[in-house]
Amino acid sequence: MTSVGDRSREASPDSGTGSGSKESGSRPLRSLAWTVYIPAGAYGIGQGAAAPVMVLTAIDMGAGFALAGLTVAVVGLGQVLGDLVSGQVVARLGERWSIVLASSIAIAGVIACLVAPSIVVLLGGILAVGLANAVWGLARQNYLSLAVPFAWRARAMSLFGGAMRFGFFVGPLIGAGAIALVGVRGGFVVQLVAVVVAGALMVRLPDPEGARGSARAMSLGATLRRHRRLLATLGMGSLLLGVARAARDSVLPLWSDHLGLSPATASLVFAAGAAIDVLCAYPAGHLMDRFGRTFVAIPSILLLALSYFLIPFTTSLMWFAVVALILGIGNGFGNGVIMTIGADAAPAEGRAEFLAVWRLSHDAGFLAGPLTIAGLAAVAPLSVAVFAASGLSAAGAVLLARFVPRYTPDRPRRSDRFETRRHGSTRPNNATMSR
């Protein structure tokens, strides 16, 4: 068991500090609209536009359904591989140049997808985009953890995640128009424009204090050893939450097919759940800032577990849609919680490297979730795979309930909230961070 002293060393009070930059104020998130949230929405639009055409492009090139389906997994694989190096990249280059590098890699990857003459080139381009996603996401998370006052941290992270999800929701609609104009690869055209716009907007923002590049970045192995207790406990909860979230993308289409619903009807049900997901983003952050991380994390994953448990009992469109909406609420209610917990637990020294490993734990769940569902569905009835998703979600709830309070502040202290209103920033003290 980790002692209070150990936790104080792992999550120093400096790790939750607002930078005191111009973003700090009575409404510190407003000034981040054009440099964080709008670019995040644009980047999400690109991802959403490309998501359906990856599979369609592979099929158009002659791939079978199994190989075409792997294109989606390659994005997750790229993010996992990117997480292994993104901490060192951000620690050495700083925020701005990390964004430049990530945007350049993403642009190269999208262009490769646009002109790919073979499946191998297409998969290579998709892998490059996944790598870029990891660096891009870490750079923005690291920036927000430094630039936003502690009392606004959860709202900042939730809005960032919500902007990405909103873009992913709108992207397929814009991509459909591009496909009608230029063919099946039109979604990649939208993604290319989105990446260029997002990168151009974000690189205008200077690095916050404490995020300047360093030539002495901590190695991956050293980071894993230093935080092995946290990663083996709270990190496993993060992984299972990733599994619970990612399983939705597999379970809903598979069960809709099991019910005999048309693809168009299934898409509408999924879109309704995604819309609820986006609407929950800011309320989730507000509740986390006011009542603590556990108040949001546990209900979120329990709603996911309940939804998966109920899905095998749905036999009509109406009840299937109801459960899909509950899934959307559960997923949206936890919007930003993993990023916020990671920022809370990150040490002042080696912050970027820690956040990269923390993101790896969650992204591994996004990779493992669909693979688990697909593997179980191949050897057992589909309902068994769905119940397994429910069980894994419940296990994640147990881990998060036990270890989130251990490594993060239960809630901002009343004095911290007063200081935030008075001065526009706050610095959590040792007592707050070691609770």
Side-chain angles (χ1 to χ4, degrees):
M1 179 178 294
T2 306
S3 66
V4 171
D6 292 335
R7 293 197 300 274
S8 298
R9 286 191 294 272
E10 283 199 341
S12 70
D14 291 340
S15 69
T17 306
S19 67
S21 63
K22 64 181 180 180
E23 286 80 6
S24 298
S26 60
R27 295 287 178 180
L29 307 186
R30 290 179 179 176
S31 61
L32 300 176
W34 283 98
T35 50
V36 176
Y37 298 121
I38 291 176
Y43 201 88
I45 286 174
Q47 288 185 299
V53 301
M54 290 187 296
V55 175
L56 296 176
T57 300
I59 293 174
D60 190 56
M61 297 172 69
F65 289 122
L67 180 58
L70 284 176
T71 58
V72 179
V74 169
V75 178
L77 176 62
Q79 290 185 189
V80 168
L81 294 176
D83 288 334
L84 298 176
V85 299
S86 59
Q88 287 74 36
V89 170
V90 174
R92 291 177 183 275
L93 300 183
E95 304 287 328
R96 173 180 289 182
W97 288 108
S98 296
I99 290 294
V100 171
L101 175 63
S103 298
S104 300
I105 294 173
I107 289 170
V110 176
I111 290 176
C113 294
L114 270 172
V115 302
S118 66
I119 293 292
V120 173
V121 177
L122 177 67
L123 293 178
I126 293 172
L127 183 69
V129 172
L131 289 168
N133 290 347
V135 178
W136 192 95
L138 173 63
R140 290 299 84 186
Q141 181 185 6
N142 195 44
Y143 177 84
L144 289 174
S145 69
L146 289 166
V148 177
F150 173 75
W152 286 81
R153 174 178 287 166
R155 277 165 283 187
M157 297 294 184
S158 294
L159 273 180
F160 178 71
M164 290 286 291
R165 294 184 189 190
F166 176 78
F168 204 89
F169 174 67
V170 173
L173 302 178
I174 299 176
I179 292 171
L181 291 175
V182 302
V184 70
R185 302 197 192 195
F188 292 129
V189 175
V190 175
Q191 187 179 29
L192 180 61
V193 174
V195 170
V196 172
V197 170
L201 287 173
M202 287 186 297
V203 296
R204 298 181 304 145
L205 194 65
D207 290 344
E209 182 181 348
R212 295 168 184 168
S214 170
R216 298 181 61 185
M218 189 180 301
S219 69
L220 176 64
T223 304
L224 289 171
R225 288 191 298 271
R226 181 179 182 185
H227 303 287
R228 59 186 179 275
R229 291 183 180 177
L230 183 150
L231 294 170
T233 53
L234 185 60
M236 184 57 64
S238 171
L239 186 148
L240 290 176
L241 179 55
V243 169
R245 288 172 167 176
R248 183 180 65 156
D249 295 342
S250 299
V251 167
L252 289 182
L254 289 173
W255 198 259
S256 69
D257 181 72
H258 174 76
L259 293 178
L261 303 180
S262 68
T265 300
S267 296
L268 288 175
V269 171
F270 197 89
I276 294 293
D277 187 328
V278 173
L279 291 175
C280 291
Y282 188 79
H286 179 78
L287 290 171
M288 271 192 282
D289 279 331
R290 184 168 184 180
F291 299 109
R293 312 333 185 194
T294 309
F295 186 84
V296 166
I298 307 310
S300 169
I301 195 169
L302 284 178
L303 276 176
L304 294 174
L306 174 64
S307 300
Y308 290 131
F309 180 80
L310 293 176
I311 281 178
F313 299 103
T314 61
T315 57
S316 66
L317 171 60
M318 182 186 73
W319 289 113
F320 177 66
V322 169
V323 175
L325 290 176
I326 298 174
L327 267 174
I329 294 172
N331 199 47
F333 193 64
N335 206 336
V337 69
I338 290 299
M339 289 190 293
T340 304
I341 291 172
D344 288 344
E349 180 184 354
R351 174 191 304 274
E353 297 92 321
F354 170 82
L355 289 177
V357 173
W358 176 249
R359 291 175 67 90
L360 174 62
S361 70
H362 195 56
D363 288 347
F366 269 84
L367 179 61
L371 294 178
T372 300
I373 298 300
L376 288 174
V379 300
L382 180 58
S383 58
V384 172
V386 182
F387 283 135
S390 177
L392 291 172
S393 301
V398 172
L399 287 172
L400 292 176
R402 180 173 181 181
F403 293 106
V404 169
R406 178 175 297 185
Y407 289 104
T408 70
D410 180 47
R411 68 184 70 180
R413 291 165 58 93
R414 188 171 183 174
S415 59
D416 291 337
R417 293 198 295 271
F418 173 77
E419 288 299 314
T420 299
R421 290 194 297 270
R422 184 177 177 184
H423 300 298
S425 65
T426 185
R427 176 184 294 268
N429 55 33
N430 282 326
T432 302
M433 291 306 296
S434 63
R435 261 205 314 271

